[in-house]
Amino acid sequence: MMARVKGFRRSGDVQEEAPEHSMDPRATEERPYRPTVIDNAIYRDGRRVDTPGSMAAAFECLNEIPGSMAWIGLYRPKEWELVKLGEEFELHELALEDAIVGSQRPKADRYGDTLFVVLRAARYLDDVEEVAFGEVHVFVGPNFVITVRHAEAPDLQAVRKRMESEPELLRQGPQAVLYAILDAVVDGYAPVVAGLQKDIEEIEVQVFGGDPSVSRRVYELSGEVIEFQRATAPLVGMLHAFIAGASKHGMNDELQSYLRDVADHAITVSERISAFRQMLQDILVVNSTLVTQAQNAEMARMTEASIQQGEEVKKISAWAAILFAPTLVGTIYGMNFDFMPETHWAFGYPFAIVLMAAVCLTLYLVFKRRDWL
């Protein structure tokens, strides 16, 4: 029996949250109200024999009915509810602390005869093209299974209905329930993989179509893939450990075969995610190359335009210089001073014309030789 867990402290009559719990984003997020206890059932020989009205009543029924199993499903329970549950079923305080705080990585820890499993579920949201992640904690004891969900996924009500429709499988006890939960979580990854595959194909079209906003989408999708990989990668080792220790913990051959099938699916998902991550890295490289090529082409076009503009400026400058020469001569000889020798010279006018022509011709030949004209 436990007095408290580390995620909960008392100071006089005031309840205080531990620092790690107060920083939990779930503490301030507003969500629609749902009952804490989703379902509370006692099973015997694979069939529901009772539905207690409280967790304390479930513990009493478990002791009164020989060979029975309790399956309690909780949805975002209050801290005091988990503390009370831990006292009734003698759950380890470290496992309870993880269940209270949440935001745990996928793992499986064994405390005595109780197995504590953390799973990260995922679902693909078609309307926003994003992956939403959920979290479920599973306490598996000799005669009980307690699930603590922190999100809508996975749908454990569907898992319960499946198990109740297969009493032969449910008769195998808490380990069979754990298998069904693992199977539901891994099967839930398939639509996510398909959704990510579709997103990557759309991104490839955007990349080769020159969409400038594709880099942001690749970055965001890479983050989702990395998060998905963190949620799924530990599952493979976890399932192999379950299979390796199956005989030690009394798991029959049929259930081991089921777990191996789940492990195969988890490996497939893990390989696909690794491939997605590599593909996104390659897409980023290709996009960077295409962007660089486009920038180089634009710079080349601007350089060519600048060169062309320079050629036009040279031509204009050359003709301006050529036309300026006769203007200068004409301006000088157009001054009406009495003491200009050329003014009263008989050959003054022809001389001015020849001089202007000679200067213009000389400038033209100079500019032509230098390719300005």
Side-chain angles (χ1 to χ4, degrees):
M1 306 292 284
M2 296 181 2
R4 64 180 178 88
V5 296
K6 292 200 296 184
F8 177 79
R9 292 199 294 261
R10 288 184 179 273
S11 176
D13 295 330
V14 180
Q15 296 181 356
E16 297 178 350
E17 291 180 331
E20 66 272 16
H21 184 58
S22 63
M23 291 187 292
D24 178 14
R26 295 178 295 125
T28 58
E29 183 180 350
E30 294 184 2
R31 301 183 179 92
Y33 172 76
R34 288 187 59 180
T36 298
V37 180
I38 302 300
D39 205 343
N40 184 8
I42 303 296
Y43 298 90
R44 184 178 180 183
D45 293 330
R47 300 188 182 279
R48 186 189 290 242
V49 296
D50 198 358
T51 304
S54 65
M55 290 181 286
F59 185 73
E60 293 178 1
C61 290
L62 195 61
N63 292 330
E64 292 173 357
I65 304 176
S68 61
M69 176 190 72
W71 184 355
I72 302 173
L74 304 176
Y75 178 79
R76 294 193 179 110
K78 302 294 189 297
E79 186 172 319
W80 66 266
E81 291 176 308
L82 283 176
V83 172
K84 184 64 176 178
L85 196 66
E87 293 175 351
E88 296 286 356
F89 289 91
E90 299 184 354
L91 304 178
H92 197 277
E93 66 174 19
L94 293 178
L96 275 181
E97 180 185 357
D98 289 343
I100 290 171
V101 176
S103 301
Q104 303 294 317
R105 63 176 182 83
K107 63 179 180 178
D109 295 327
R110 186 170 291 278
Y111 301 96
D113 56 359
T114 300
L115 179 65
F116 175 64
V117 180
V118 178
L119 300 173
R120 296 291 305 280
R123 56 186 180 132
Y124 187 79
L125 307 178
D126 290 308
D127 53 343
V128 292
E129 295 185 336
E130 293 180 357
V131 181
F133 296 93
E135 186 174 345
V136 59
H137 299 173
V138 186
F139 296 89
V140 183
N143 59 351
F144 67 85
V145 176
I146 300 170
T147 59
V148 180
R149 278 195 298 140
H150 294 296
E152 296 296 325
D155 184 7
L156 296 184
Q157 284 294 92
V159 176
R160 190 184 291 267
K161 289 179 181 178
R162 173 201 170 184
M163 294 299 288
E164 290 181 348
S165 67
E166 301 180 28
E168 291 297 326
L169 181 59
L170 186 56
R171 185 178 289 118
Q172 298 182 36
Q175 293 184 357
V177 176
L178 176 60
Y179 148 72
I181 295 173
L182 287 166
D183 189 44
V185 170
V186 174
D187 285 347
Y189 293 151
V192 180
V193 171
L196 291 175
Q197 177 69 49
K198 180 181 177 182
D199 288 345
I200 291 175
E201 291 173 355
E202 292 176 354
I203 285 175
E204 289 175 342
V205 174
Q206 286 182 282
V207 167
F208 291 104
D211 189 343
S213 64
V214 70
S215 296
R216 181 182 180 87
R217 190 176 182 192
V218 172
Y219 177 79
E220 293 174 348
L221 189 59
S222 297
E224 292 181 359
V225 170
I226 291 172
E227 184 68 19
F228 194 22
Q229 191 173 41
R230 290 174 180 170
T232 58
L235 271 180
V236 177
M238 188 188 305
L239 287 165
H240 286 162
F242 289 160
I243 296 170
S247 301
K248 177 181 177 181
H249 297 288
M251 186 181 298
N252 61 32
D253 294 340
E254 181 183 9
L255 204 53
Q256 292 182 45
S257 299
Y258 289 156
L259 279 178
R260 278 192 288 270
D261 180 66
V262 177
D264 289 340
H265 292 169
I267 291 173
T268 301
V269 171
S270 181
E271 291 175 347
R272 292 291 301 278
I273 296 172
S274 297
F276 287 164
R277 190 170 180 180
Q278 184 60 48
M279 289 174 66
L280 288 171
Q281 291 177 352
D282 293 342
I283 287 174
L284 277 176
V285 173
V286 171
N287 184 61
S288 177
T289 302
L290 292 176
V291 170
T292 302
Q293 289 178 349
Q295 290 175 344
N296 291 340
E298 181 65 17
M299 291 179 64
R301 187 190 66 80
M302 292 178 64
T303 301
E304 183 178 353
S306 179
I307 293 174
Q308 183 67 26
Q309 186 178 15
E311 293 295 326
E312 296 296 330
V313 169
K314 287 194 299 183
K315 290 179 180 180
I316 294 172
S317 301
W319 282 113
I322 292 172
L323 294 176
F324 176 73
T327 302
L328 177 63
V329 174
T331 301
I332 293 174
Y333 287 102
M335 295 185 294
N336 297 320
F337 293 116
D338 291 334
F339 299 102
M340 290 182 66
E342 294 85 353
T343 304
H344 304 286
W345 184 31
F347 298 101
Y349 176 74
F351 174 77
I353 295 298
V354 172
L355 178 61
M356 287 189 286
V359 172
C360 290
L361 180 61
T362 301
L363 290 174
Y364 177 82
L365 294 174
V366 170
F367 290 137
K368 190 68 175 177
R369 185 174 181 181
R370 296 188 178 185
D371 292 329
W372 280 41
L373 294 173

